[in-house]
Amino acid sequence: MKRIVSSAILVLIMTLGLRAQTVPDTAELTRLLKEFLAGASRNDAAVHDRFWSEDLIYTRSSGRRIGKAEVMHDVRSAPAPKPGDPTTIYSAEDIRIQQYGNVAVVAFRLVGTTENDGRTQVTNYLNTGTFLKRHGQWRVVSWQATRMPRTEEEVKKEVAAVESAFHQAMLASDVKKLQSLTDESFIWTHRTGEQMSRQHLLDQIGSGQLKYSKLETNNVTVVVYGDTAIVRGVSPRQRTSFVGPGGESGDASPFNAFYTLTFVNKDGGWKAVAMHTSRP
């Protein structure tokens, strides 16, 4: 009797192992995944429509849970890309597939490579999709995305590079670059208490009302709190023109400004949301 029971358990274990290891649709599922990521890189609505099931449950890395209708709305309402806009290419690494009849679980590492103004930023996510085969077609019914944490030093270097690019754009009067590095809610609080919005800053930089002949940074420190980063430093600077209380003028000599910049990570990119400057 014991031999019969042991044999039955052994057969069951072997059967379950065979079911988990035998993946007849590996090639098709891998092809579908790669075609989808290529389409997602160019925001192709038709590719999204083919990939997702109507009863999709999608849990984003932010914790927000959405369905196919919301996914398609976001894709179709996205503005057409303009020359010079950041571009992101998605690819899959470490693909693992387990198939159970008409159900398959596809787990992989999603790699997002973003090019923006000559800078390359790479983000990694662990994604798991559940595919269901209906009427001969595989579609995703459930999707879970989890952003992989980076080391503190990696994040600090990334923020420091963005902060440096921010000041370089100010010095070069590069409105386009400055716009890409700041959030719409950006506010610059000056030592006088005056507050300048992003649009006001861009207008002044673009018109030449605010122009720097010198703008350096030193003693820079970066502290990261999750998706928020605080950058503090000292900036030797000199303006050739600016609009002060008495009208337009420039600085007779360089001066040191102490500054604090606050950045937030939005959709994988760091953007400045606030800056405060003061001087002795």
Side-chain angles (χ1 to χ4, degrees):
M1 182 65 179
K2 288 183 179 179
R3 289 182 179 179
I4 295 174
V5 173
S6 298
S7 298
I9 292 174
L10 179 61
V11 170
L12 178 60
I13 292 173
M14 291 177 65
T15 301
L16 290 174
L18 182 62
R19 286 179 181 174
Q21 294 173 15
T22 302
V23 188
D25 289 359
T26 295
E28 182 179 358
L29 289 165
T30 302
R31 177 183 59 80
L32 285 173
L33 176 62
K34 290 185 176 181
E35 286 180 354
F36 166 71
L37 293 177
S41 298
R42 59 180 185 269
N43 205 40
D44 191 323
V47 170
H48 276 275
D49 191 38
R50 163 64 184 85
F51 193 70
W52 306 115
S53 172
E54 297 301 325
D55 50 354
L56 169 72
I57 299 175
Y58 189 139
T59 305
R60 288 180 167 171
S61 60
S62 62
R64 182 186 173 202
R65 183 169 288 170
I66 61 176
K68 180 177 180 178
E70 291 163 293
V71 172
M72 297 307 300
H73 175 269
D74 290 346
V75 171
R76 288 170 175 151
S77 62
K82 301 185 294 295
D85 280 354
T87 58
T88 301
I89 302 298
Y90 298 105
S91 60
E93 302 289 343
D94 304 327
I95 302 173
R96 304 180 188 181
I97 302 176
Q98 295 179 186
Q99 185 175 346
Y100 307 91
N102 288 334
V103 177
V105 176
V106 179
F108 64 100
R109 177 165 54 88
L110 174 68
V111 182
T113 305
T114 301
E115 297 289 342
N116 185 12
D117 290 327
R119 294 181 293 111
T120 301
Q121 180 180 345
V122 179
T123 54
N124 289 272
Y125 297 81
L126 292 179
N127 283 11
T128 302
T130 301
F131 290 70
L132 179 62
K133 196 170 190 178
R134 292 170 174 159
H135 309 297
Q137 287 190 332
W138 288 104
R139 290 181 185 266
V140 176
V141 294
S142 179
W143 195 266
Q144 173 78 47
T146 301
R147 183 169 182 170
M148 295 180 65
R150 291 165 294 171
T151 66
E152 185 175 355
E153 285 307 309
E154 287 175 330
V155 176
K156 284 185 176 181
K157 286 180 180 179
E158 188 175 290
V159 173
V162 175
E163 183 266 346
S164 177
F166 173 88
H167 282 105
Q168 289 173 13
M170 292 271 286
L171 177 62
S173 298
D174 191 336
V175 174
K176 185 176 181 181
K177 191 173 206 178
L178 197 59
Q179 183 174 13
S180 71
L181 295 171
T182 52
D183 187 70
E184 292 181 359
S185 64
F186 174 81
I187 293 291
W188 180 0
T189 303
H190 296 268
R191 66 188 182 97
T192 59
E194 176 191 359
Q195 290 190 323
M196 179 184 290
S197 67
R198 181 178 80 160
Q199 191 56 55
H200 189 190
L201 171 63
L202 297 177
D203 289 343
Q204 286 212 340
I205 291 285
S207 65
Q209 289 180 300
L210 176 60
K211 187 170 179 60
Y212 290 89
S213 58
K214 179 178 182 178
L215 184 58
E216 301 172 359
T217 59
N218 53 55
N219 298 331
V220 177
T221 61
V222 180
V223 183
V224 178
Y225 306 94
D227 285 335
T228 303
I230 307 298
V231 182
R232 301 180 182 91
V234 181
S235 175
R237 57 182 61 185
Q238 185 173 10
R239 297 165 294 188
T240 55
S241 65
F242 71 96
V243 179
E248 190 171 338
S249 61
D251 297 311
S253 59
F255 64 92
N256 284 333
F258 297 87
Y259 69 91
T260 301
L261 263 168
T262 302
F263 291 89
V264 294
N265 193 312
K266 298 184 68 174
D267 301 322
W270 291 96
K271 290 183 179 290
V273 295
M275 180 166 67
H276 188 282
T277 54
S278 61
R279 55 190 285 192

